[in-house]
Amino acid sequence: MKRLNIHQLRNWPAEKISSRALYLLVGIAMVIFVLFWLVGYDRPFEDDPNFNAPLFTNALLLLMVLYLMLGIGFSVWSVVSLLKKRGKTEAVENGIPVKKIGYLVAGSVVVLLLLTFALGSTAPMKINGATYASGFWLRTSDMFIVTSLVMMLIAVAAVIYGATKYNRKL
């Protein structure tokens, strides 16, 4: 097996680096989820034996917090680097209005987040015997869930549209 030198990594295309990073993150998540479901899942919760206290709950929560922090960090880095380059880049590249598309996507996400927050439910929920009634957090969780679902539907529709409308010229 060849050892990878950090200087060789600089010569890799971005697609290769991002696909390897994706495989690594998905692999780690799969291992943690398999451990969560298959090892010690049926342990009873000390305070109430009617509930389970899986052995790898803390590992799963830590992984999700780590992924969230990585996502937030890369998002902030991306926005900052975009704002630094904003005045230096072309508005149209290869006949594609990239600036207009970028602003449209960013604005649409902000509008979608605000709309789903405004329309979110504030009805109290009873979960594991505890009642959650904070209107702000109920709306916030609704906002993220509904926004995620809408964005996934848009992504699926874009993939289907792209797959059916893309004609390659040979």
Side-chain angles (χ1 to χ4, degrees), residues 67-104:
Y67 281 2
L68 178 67
M69 293 299 139
L70 278 171
I72 290 170
F74 278 117
S75 296
V76 168
W77 173 74
S78 176
V79 167
V80 167
S81 65
L82 176 72
L83 291 176
K84 283 183 178 179
K85 297 176 189 174
R86 185 175 70 188
K88 300 173 187 167
T89 60
E90 296 293 323
V92 177
E93 291 180 20
N94 297 326
I96 301 169
V98 290
K99 274 192 178 180
K100 191 182 288 187
I101 291 172
Y103 287 134
L104 181 67

Side-chain angles (χ1 to χ4, degrees), residues 11-80:
N11 296 329
W12 281 12
E15 182 180 353
K16 187 173 186 178
I17 294 171
S18 65
S19 66
R20 296 278 172 97
L22 175 67
Y23 295 149
L24 177 69
L25 294 175
V26 169
I28 292 169
M30 284 177 53
V31 168
I32 296 293
F33 273 98
V34 166
L35 288 172
F36 177 79
W37 287 106
L38 298 179
V39 179
Y41 183 78
D42 294 332
R43 289 181 2 163
F45 184 56
E46 287 180 14
D47 294 339
D48 188 352
N50 294 325
F51 298 111
N52 287 346
L55 183 63
F56 284 93
T57 302
N58 289 336
L60 184 62
L61 291 173
L62 182 64
L63 179 71
M64 293 301 110
V65 168
L66 178 68
Y67 281 2
L68 178 67
M69 293 299 139
L70 278 171
I72 290 170
F74 278 117
S75 296
V76 168
W77 173 74
S78 176
V79 167
V80 167

Side-chain angles (χ1 to χ4, degrees), residues 108-122 135-151 154:
S108 298
V109 170
V110 169
V111 168
L112 183 60
L113 285 169
L114 291 172
L115 186 64
T116 54
F117 181 81
L119 298 174
S121 173
T122 58
F136 173 77
W137 289 114
L138 289 166
R139 280 183 189 253
T140 302
S141 61
D142 258 8
M143 173 187 71
F144 285 122
I145 292 168
V146 173
T147 301
S148 298
L149 291 172
V150 168
M151 291 176 78
I154 291 170

